[in-house]
Amino acid sequence: MSERAAVRMRDIHKAFGTNEVLRGLSLEVRRGETFTLLGGSGSGKSVCLRHIIGLMEPDRGEVEVLDQRLAGLDARGLVALRKRCGMVFQGAALFDSLSVYENVAYPIREHRDWPESQVTARVAACLEAVHLPGIEALLPEELSGGMRKRVGVARAIALEPELMLYDEPTAGLDPANAKRVGQLIRSLQQRLRVTSFVVTHDLELCFAVSDRVALLKGGVVVEEGDVAGFRSSSHADVRAYFEGVYDDGGAAPRSGREGT
């Protein structure tokens, strides 16, 4: 892995039965940047994320995350690596029966032996970071969709991760809340100096938060570059994606907020 790489995926193949989802995917995410992987619904973006945190193993190829090769890591090694990563799930994945406080405190209690006063202070700091101070006592059902997403982000940053992973972070959100989430992703990357890996089909989000962008089609990256270069790319698949006529087995991209 190069000195500045936080994630490297090399020639990754993954099939589910006869369905080949990843067919030689290779990409590299540099430390400190926000990297966005674009693709249509069902193109394998979320499968890519699951390989990064070791929830899936490739049929062939190599994954390296934060200077560790995932192949051969035992359960303890995977847990140690995941503590260095923050994952924001598509549906926020909050525990419905737990308060906001208990949701954000959950990873702290799992992985840190802190007194409750320190847990309380960290929860408050995380909620402040996502611009939701003072909502610790609320239940998830009392929150709007945008607030739930931001609480999911607060939980993801609770252990001060080096790498943030976002799975369709604007899915299901109205434009105003989607814009807030995009601003939050960018501000956290700048303030906390974390590396951010975003998978989405949302072009507005992509251009708002990204340093570099890649397009996934047919299980491989077909085009990659900085935002300016990507916008001006003459690659046929990129132009088709921008024009909403892209076909990779799923819905065409829009600024709407559907899921993967």
Side-chain angles (χ1 to χ4, degrees):
M1 180 181 286
S2 66
E3 185 178 342
R4 297 189 62 237
V7 176
R8 176 177 285 170
M9 306 183 76
R10 185 185 294 112
D11 193 29
I12 301 300
H13 291 254
K14 186 65 178 180
F16 301 94
T18 59
N19 180 24
E20 294 181 82
V21 178
L22 302 179
R23 305 176 186 181
L25 171 70
S26 294
L27 59 83
E28 184 174 293
V29 182
R30 301 166 187 161
R31 290 184 183 271
E33 75 173 346
T34 297
F35 180 95
T36 296
L37 184 63
L38 287 171
S41 298
S43 62
K45 303 185 304 298
S46 295
V47 172
C48 177
L49 269 188
R50 293 183 184 113
H51 278 77
I52 292 172
I53 54 175
L55 292 177
M56 289 182 178
E57 296 182 4
D59 300 327
R60 188 164 84 246
E62 185 174 74
V63 182
E64 301 174 29
V65 179
L66 300 175
D67 300 319
Q68 298 220 35
R69 289 180 173 86
L70 269 61
L73 276 185
D74 59 16
R76 180 176 294 181
L78 279 173
V79 168
L81 179 62
R82 288 169 185 158
K83 284 194 290 186
R84 301 169 65 192
C85 304
M87 180 76 187
V88 180
F89 297 93
Q90 183 172 325
L94 301 180
F95 298 108
D96 291 338
S97 61
L98 300 182
S99 68
V100 168
Y101 178 90
E102 296 294 335
N103 267 282
V104 179
Y106 186 84
I108 304 172
R109 288 176 172 155
E110 283 286 299
H111 300 295
R112 298 285 189 269
D113 184 20
W114 286 1
E116 194 61 25
S117 60
Q118 192 173 357
V119 175
T120 299
R122 182 60 186 160
V123 170
C126 291
L127 291 173
E128 181 69 36
V130 299
H131 312 297
L132 290 174
I135 68 162
E136 284 90 337
L138 297 181
L139 290 170
E141 67 182 18
E142 300 176 272
L143 307 177
S144 68
M147 291 172 73
R148 285 194 295 271
K149 279 286 173 69
R150 285 188 280 161
V151 171
V153 174
R155 184 176 62 187
I157 65 174
L159 296 179
E160 299 182 293
E162 300 167 56
L163 173 64
M164 287 287 290
L165 306 170
Y166 298 90
D167 188 3
E168 292 283 6
T170 57
L173 299 184
D174 60 79
N177 273 310
K179 184 176 181 179
R180 290 190 190 100
V181 168
Q183 291 169 340
L184 177 60
I185 291 171
R186 198 61 176 167
S187 68
L188 289 175
Q189 185 263 341
Q190 292 168 345
R191 288 160 50 201
L192 304 181
R193 298 175 182 258
V194 297
T195 303
S196 300
F197 187 107
V198 181
V199 299
T200 188
H201 66 277
D202 184 339
L203 284 172
E204 289 181 19
L205 175 73
C206 171
F207 294 141
V209 305
S210 304
D211 296 305
R212 288 192 305 123
V213 186
L215 178 64
L216 183 63
K217 181 177 182 180
V220 298
V221 170
V222 295
E223 182 74 323
E224 181 180 336
D226 62 25
V227 170
F230 203 83
R231 280 182 181 272
S232 61
S233 174
S234 60
H235 194 289
D237 289 320
V238 175
R239 301 321 306 172
Y241 198 87
F242 289 168
E243 293 161 12
V245 294
Y246 178 82
D247 182 12
D248 195 15
R254 297 189 286 275
S255 60
R257 313 297 171 182
E258 306 88 351
T260 300

